[in-house]
Amino acid sequence: MHVLIVEDEAKFAALVVRGLTEEGHSARAVSRGEDALWEAHASQYDVIVLDVMLPGIDGFETCRRLRDDGIGTPVLMLTARDEVEDRVSGLDAGADDYLVKPFALRELLARLRALARRPAGGGTPVLGVGDLRLDPATRRAWRGEAELELSAREFALLEAFMRRPGEALSRLTLLENAWDPAFELRSNLVDVYVRYLRDKVDRPFGRSSIQTVRGVGYRLSEDGA
C-alpha cells in the first residue's frame, strides 16, 4: 500500500511511517492539512491517515475538501478523544473509518488493509501493466496466471514501478516510494533490489520489462516486453 500520513506530531508520524515501511508498505508524512490536499492531488495513495487536530485547517475540513475535490481515496481519521461527536463529524466530513489514539500498530495495519480493499470511486484497486498484476491490499502479484513470490521490499519496489508505468524513475524516487526516506542514496540498495526483482518478474518469463535508463534510473515498460 501507498499511504499518506497527515500528523503534526513528528515523533508519532515517524513511528507510524517506520512501522508501515517495516511491513513492506510505502508511506509519506506531512504535518498540515494544506500539504495533504496538495499531496492527494499530486500522487495516488491507497489510504490517507488523517489526524483531527492539525495546524491550519483541521482534519475535518481537510477531509471535506478532499471529497469536494472529487478525491475518493479512503480516509482513516485519528483522534485522541473517543467522543461520539468527533466520530460523527469525521464520518459526515467523508471519512471512511475512525481510530482512537493510542492504538496498536497491528490494528492500524488491519484497518488500512480493509480500507484499501474498498474500490475508490467504483474502480478496482488492482494495478495492471501488460500481463503484470498487483493487488496492494492483499500484497499479491502475478505475471499472467503465475503468482510471484516477492519479499516485502521487492513488492514495494514493483508497486512503485506499476504506479508509474513507462516513466523513467530515479533511484531517489524509488527510495522514497519503496523504502524509509532515511536510507542514503549513495548506497546501491535500489540497484540490488532491481536485480532481485528482474530475477523473479522478468527472467523466468523471458521478459525485460524493467529497463535501465542511463543517467536516470529505471522504468517499467508498459507493454511488458
Side-chain angles (χ1 to χ4, degrees), residues 11 35 45 48 63 73-74 78 98 116 129 145 152 171 178 193:
K11 290 184 179 179
D35 296 332
Y45 290 92
I48 297 172
C63 192
T73 306
L78 301 179
Y98 224 93
V129 178
E145 297 302 314
R171 290 170 177 81
Y193 273 87

Side-chain angles (χ1 to χ4, degrees), residues 59 71 114 122 128 148 166 182 192 198 205:
I71 294 174
L148 304 170
V192 169
R198 283 170 168 165
F205 303 93

Side-chain angles (χ1 to χ4, degrees), residues 2-17 20 26-43 45 47-59 62 66 76 78 101 181:
H2 192 33
V3 183
L4 177 63
I5 311 295
V6 190
E7 169 61 65
D8 65 322
E9 296 181 25
K11 290 184 179 179
F12 180 79
L15 286 173
V16 174
V17 169
L20 288 169
S26 61
R28 181 181 295 275
V30 296
S31 60
R32 299 175 60 88
E34 293 87 346
D35 296 332
L37 294 174
W38 188 90
E39 277 288 340
H41 283 89
S43 301
Y45 290 92
V47 185
I48 297 172
V49 178
L50 178 61
D51 191 42
V52 169
M53 301 301 295
L54 295 169
I57 61 173
D58 64 15
T62 301
L66 287 170
L76 172 64
L78 301 179
K101 298 177 182 176

Side-chain angles (χ1 to χ4, degrees), residues 77-190:
M77 296 201 79
L78 301 179
T79 181
R81 301 182 301 174
D82 186 11
E83 295 185 2
V84 173
E85 290 78 7
D86 277 357
R87 296 199 299 273
V88 170
S89 296
L91 295 171
D92 284 346
D96 299 272
D97 199 0
Y98 224 93
L99 188 58
V100 178
K101 298 177 182 176
F103 52 81
L105 179 62
R106 63 180 182 275
E107 180 180 4
L108 174 64
L109 289 168
R111 288 175 181 265
L112 293 180
R113 288 193 297 268
L115 288 174
R117 285 194 292 268
R118 300 181 189 177
T124 172
V126 177
L127 305 176
V129 178
D131 64 348
L132 275 174
R133 289 179 296 125
L134 182 146
D135 187 340
T138 62
R139 294 172 64 184
R140 299 175 67 190
W142 302 264
R143 168 74 84 179
E145 297 302 314
E147 185 163 357
L148 304 170
E149 296 295 329
L150 304 175
S151 69
R153 287 287 167 243
E154 292 162 354
F155 186 93
L157 185 59
L158 181 60
E159 182 178 352
F161 278 124
M162 292 187 68
R163 288 189 179 280
R164 299 169 67 175
E167 292 187 37
L169 304 179
S170 68
R171 290 170 177 81
L172 177 58
T173 296
L174 293 170
L175 276 171
E176 289 177 341
N177 282 273
W179 279 273
D180 187 313
F183 276 99
E184 290 289 341
L185 180 59
R186 62 175 174 268
S187 74
N188 65 344
L189 193 65
V190 171

